[in-house]
Amino acid sequence: MADLIIYGATGYTGGLIASYAKSLGLNFTIAGRSENKVKDLAFTLDVPFLIFNVDDRHIVDSALKGAKVLLNCSGPFLHTAKHLIDACIRKGVHYLDISAELYSYLLAETRDEEAKKAGVMLMPGAGGSVAMFGSLAGRAIQPGQQIKSIDIAMAVAGPMSRGSAVSASETSTGGTLQRFAGELVNLKSVDLIPFDFDNGKGPVDSFPVTLPDLVTLWKSTGVPNIRTFVHASGGFPTGELALLPDGPTLEERERSPYQVSVVATAEDGTVTRAVLHTVNGYTFTACASVEAARRVVSGEVRAGFQTPASVFGAGFAETIDGSTLKFL
């Protein structure tokens, strides 16, 4: 049995992840519920495979036997995270995923003590914005500095994958949250706020959104006031989402890098501004989640609900090729 199982490997991002894991020579198995698609990908990559639905407890438990890490790439995670987290806790397998849905993080937070007792780590968001935001915020906070608020934004470029668009539409809460005095509350104002992404365009308006970093930044930094924003140059897909392409092509990803900008304000009024320049979000997610899985397989583990920054440190995002940090 392989150390790592990649579930949902036949999706757009899951396919990028499986291909990258293969290029690194990792020992892994791909899994999913669509037998033909899973078999075809397994043949292409020359890796073993498993076929199962997440809601079949006995089959999932059997599939996890002997594995160290499960990387869940199957969204919407509203439908998969609970089943797979339950199974991982039962079977002593560390759980990672690539979710951008708040649900996975709130769920992992509530299962923290249970996971600790089982010696299992729960790390939703092993790649993507959570790894980017956590690293940037961690690097912006100086040792001993008392930070009262973090405003952080991502400049998104290029088209979305079909899976991301469907997941976002299915899990939309209809409101916008922020972290205020340590609690998740509805954002009273939805005003646009300018962020400088150090990309030659100067400060650009970014709109507030509910991102899982409201949970993970609170976990990794303890800062009581957090707001998350997005500047999307291409906008959100409209029309029939099921007709969208699987995801951006390699060329589209290569010409659409991402940036993340943070404004950290200390209790004494000191403001720190920094920017992370990185590769396209889908490329970053593939590289960062595989790197996280590799590290967890090798023993970099802390039981309970964790974030990439809390386990791997604030420099984690900068280990991904094409990622650099700059203080403004």
Side-chain angles (χ1 to χ4, degrees):
M1 168 61 69
D3 294 328
L4 168 65
I5 297 173
I6 301 174
Y7 187 80
T10 60
Y12 174 75
T13 308
L16 295 178
I17 287 169
S19 294
Y20 186 63
K22 179 67 177 181
S23 74
L24 297 182
L26 299 190
N27 175 28
F28 68 98
T29 295
I30 64 167
R33 61 182 179 272
S34 178
E35 183 172 356
N36 290 338
K37 289 182 179 180
V38 172
K39 285 183 176 180
D40 287 346
L41 181 60
F43 178 80
T44 299
L45 296 178
D46 189 25
V47 296
F49 65 90
L50 295 165
I51 310 294
F52 61 88
N53 288 313
V54 298
D55 57 356
D56 190 323
R57 172 173 175 158
H58 297 296
I59 292 179
V60 175
D61 285 359
S62 177
L64 293 184
K65 186 177 180 180
K68 293 181 178 179
V69 178
L70 173 71
L71 174 54
N72 178 17
C73 307
S74 180
F77 294 86
L78 177 66
H79 305 313
T80 62
K82 183 181 185 305
H83 295 294
L84 293 175
I85 285 176
D86 286 349
C88 283
I89 291 175
R90 287 195 303 268
K91 303 305 293 183
V93 175
H94 303 300
Y95 174 88
L96 281 63
D97 73 28
I98 59 169
S99 173
E101 303 165 23
L102 189 65
Y103 171 81
S104 289
Y105 301 82
L106 296 176
L107 175 63
E109 193 175 43
T110 64
R111 306 298 295 277
D112 179 57
E113 288 301 321
E114 189 179 355
K116 285 178 179 177
K117 290 178 182 177
V120 168
M121 184 169 74
L122 307 177
M123 186 185 283
S129 76
V130 168
M132 296 180 196
F133 282 29
S135 293
L136 181 60
R139 291 270 274 119
I141 299 173
Q142 303 305 309
Q145 196 175 31
Q146 297 298 312
I147 302 296
K148 68 177 181 180
S149 68
I150 291 174
D151 284 347
I152 193 163
M154 174 183 290
V156 177
M160 293 179 69
S161 73
R162 181 173 61 247
S164 296
V166 170
S167 180
S169 67
E170 285 194 21
T171 59
S172 175
T173 61
T176 303
L177 300 178
Q178 66 173 330
R179 177 79 60 176
F180 179 76
E183 300 294 329
L184 286 176
V185 300
N186 286 315
L187 189 66
K188 294 181 180 179
S189 171
V190 292
D191 295 336
L192 301 181
I193 292 182
F195 282 84
D196 186 351
F197 293 100
D198 188 43
N199 56 8
K201 299 180 181 179
V204 293
D205 285 340
S206 303
F207 56 91
V209 293
T210 301
L211 293 178
D213 309 272
L214 295 169
V215 177
T216 54
L217 288 179
W218 165 247
K219 169 74 175 178
S220 63
T221 69
V223 173
N225 304 299
I226 302 169
R227 297 186 298 177
T228 53
F229 300 80
V230 166
H231 174 77
S233 57
F236 188 83
T238 58
E240 182 58 52
L241 299 182
L243 300 180
L244 291 173
D246 285 348
T249 64
L250 174 60
E251 181 182 3
E252 287 173 326
R253 297 200 313 272
E254 288 180 341
R255 66 170 182 254
S256 303
Y258 280 25
Q259 300 93 36
V260 181
S261 178
V262 67
V263 179
T265 304
E267 293 287 355
D268 63 5
T270 302
V271 176
T272 301
R273 302 175 188 273
V275 174
L276 176 71
H277 290 260
T278 189
V279 292
N280 181 267
Y282 292 102
T283 302
F284 183 94
T285 296
C287 296
S289 60
V290 169
E291 174 60 12
R294 185 192 68 78
R295 292 187 183 201
V296 176
V297 166
S298 69
E300 288 189 54
V301 172
R302 188 177 302 162
F305 168 48
Q306 301 295 338
T307 75
S310 68
V311 176
F312 309 132
F316 179 64
E318 293 169 81
T319 67
I320 306 304
D321 285 348
S323 302
T324 58
L325 183 141
K326 179 181 178 181
F327 287 91
L328 302 180

